[in-house]
Every structure is written in C-alpha cells, then in structure tokens.
Amino acid sequence: MSKHYDLHAHSTASDGTLSPTQLMQRAHAAGVEVMALTDHDTLEGLHEARRAARALGLGFVPGVEISVTWERVTVHIVGLGVDPESEVLGSGLAGLREFRDWRAAEIGRRLARHGIEGAFEGALAYSNGRLISRTHFARFLVEKCHAPDLRAVFRRFLVNGKPGFVAGQWAELEDAVRWIREAGGQAVIAHPARYKVNRGKLRRLIGEFVEVGGEAIEVVSGSHSRGDYFTIAAHAHDFGLLASAGSDYHGPEHPWIELGRLPELPRGCKAIWQEWPATN
Ligand code: AMP
Ligand code: MN
Ligand code: MN
Ligand code: MN
C-alpha cells in the first residue's frame, strides 16, 4: 500500500482559511501521511508549515501554485519540492503579486461602478493584509448578501464577462516552469480537467508544458470527477508525465472538499513521489 499523499492545498498565506499550522494539523488528523502546501503565487507559509509538520511527524512537501496565462487561458502550475529561499522563484512570484495588488484595486473600482461600495477594503480585510485573491472578494460579496455562496458569487461577479472580472497577464508557461526547476522543484499541471478548453487545446498545452521541462500532471484532484481521473491518466501516459494527486483544499468553509479523502491513482500511472526520498 502506498502512503496517503495530498500534494495541493492552500493556507491563509493565500486564499485558504486555515493557517499553515492548522492545515498540517488537520491533514495529520485526517490520515494524510505526506502533505504539500501550495499557496497561490507565494512561498510565505512554507517555513511555518514545515515546522508544524515536523512536530506532528507528518511528511511535508514545500510547494507553490503559479498563475499562468497561456493562449489567453488562466492555467495553474504547481511546483513541488521547491526551495522556499530560491531567489529566481521568489522574484518571479513577487512580480505576480504586484499584478494581483493592481488587479484587486481595479476589481474594487469596477464593482463600485456596478453599485457595490467598499469591496476592495472588504476583500483586503479578508486577506489579513496578505496576498489578495478573487476568493477574498467572493467572501466579502457573500457576507454582503450579493449571492448565497462562493460558487454563485463567482458566477455572477468574478468570471469573464461579469462586472468584477479583470483580465490580465500572469506568468508565461515557460517562465513558471523555469522558476520551479531553478528552485529545485518539479512542475505539475494543476487540475487540468477544469480548464475551459477542448481536448485538442488541452493536449497542445500538455505538449508545450513537456517541451519546456514540465514533469507531471494532476490526475487525481479535488476538482476532478472520477471520469476525469481516467481521461487525464491517459494523457499522462501519452506524454510520459508523472501523475500527482491533490485535494486543492481551501478550508472547512469549502465543504465540498475535505482532507484525507483522495482515492488512489488509477492503475498504470507513475506517481510523482515514486522516486522521492523519504519526505520531511
Ligand atoms: P485568483 O487567483 O485571485 O484569480 O483566484 C482564483 C481562485 O478563486 C481559485 O484558486 C479558487 O480558489 C477560487 N475560485 C475560482 N473559481 C471559483 C468558483 N467558481 N467557486 C469558488 N471558488 C473559485
Ligand atoms: Mn484558490
Ligand atoms: Mn488552481
Ligand atoms: Mn489550488
């Protein structure tokens, strides 16, 4: 039996609601044996998470989830096993956070024009002055009863074509993969079945990812259906990619995903952790 791995999750360093310590405690209690922290565009929570995991005897993988724009589609690339002190990765991510800060102010201005005042300040309060994401706007909009829940709020306000959506340019695919590799990590395409692209375009994305040095793809993800596991496992096989598994957990307020519940990888997948040394 392989250990229980969860290689994708968020803390309060980005848009999760548990601190890195609380996240590690909850993962351990849920039976996870090796846990990654992969906050959006920041390495901020990694030291705390590592300390907490050590104290629990839980395996830990330092990670990140990088926002990328590829052919006008936002794609997320997870880095696993990255050095939290890497200057190349650190400065690449700092550039993305600058864009995030500008975008947040712009989302606030657009929502104000739409009659919703104070959204920027509200989102900022939810972010505790750390990285600011659309999720923080979503929590504010739900609090102010503009929609019943996070999903509805995204649909009404925060996606392409809606009043609070701001298009932008995140990292280039090639740069994101390079930053991860230079930080000693492995690059993984996050939740590939979630992108709104057809099969041909997804395979083009995977092909380019492999060309620039990407090594793995999330086959099992909290945002994949059972059918997706097998579709993506077939792509992994065709492109010679390693398979990863991660919940994409954001906290107990997002009850549709819980820690410790990921199924095993489909047969025939080569797990990304297969060649890792003991993880801590
Ligand atoms: P950002 O990187 O700031 O654009 O925010 C993206 C984040 O918003 C994702 O990582 C998810 O956590 C969250 N998100 C995106 N779409 C939805 C949705 N439909 N429902 C709930 N959360 C979402
Ligand atoms: Mn998120
Ligand atoms: Mn993502
Ligand atoms: Mn994520």
Side-chain angles (χ1 to χ4, degrees), residues 10 15 40 65 133 135 248 250:
H10 299 272
D15 60 349
H40 298 286
E65 181 175 19
S133 115
T135 311
D248 206 359
H250 280 72

Side-chain angles (χ1 to χ4, degrees), residues 8 10 40 65-66 75-78 190-191 194-195 218 223 248 250:
H8 187 152
H10 299 272
H40 298 286
E65 181 175 19
I66 305 182
V75 167
H76 287 170
I77 301 296
V78 161
H191 44 63
R194 215 169 75 193
Y195 307 127
E218 282 180 358
S223 49
D248 206 359
H250 280 72

Side-chain angles (χ1 to χ4, degrees), residues 227-238:
D228 294 334
Y229 302 160
F230 295 98
T231 311
I232 304 300
H235 293 317
H237 178 264
D238 293 348

Side-chain angles (χ1 to χ4, degrees), residues 1-49:
M1 269 294 282
S2 80
K3 287 191 188 178
H4 190 114
Y5 286 80
D6 186 341
L7 302 178
H8 187 152
H10 299 272
S11 75
T12 46
S14 66
D15 60 349
T17 59
L18 299 182
S19 70
T21 300
Q22 291 168 328
L23 178 71
M24 293 300 135
Q25 288 170 339
R26 191 174 177 106
H28 181 64
V32 177
E33 293 164 280
V34 180
M35 187 71 207
L37 177 64
T38 59
D39 275 308
H40 298 286
D41 306 326
T42 181
L43 306 170
E44 192 72 19
L46 296 178
H47 286 299
E48 181 187 327

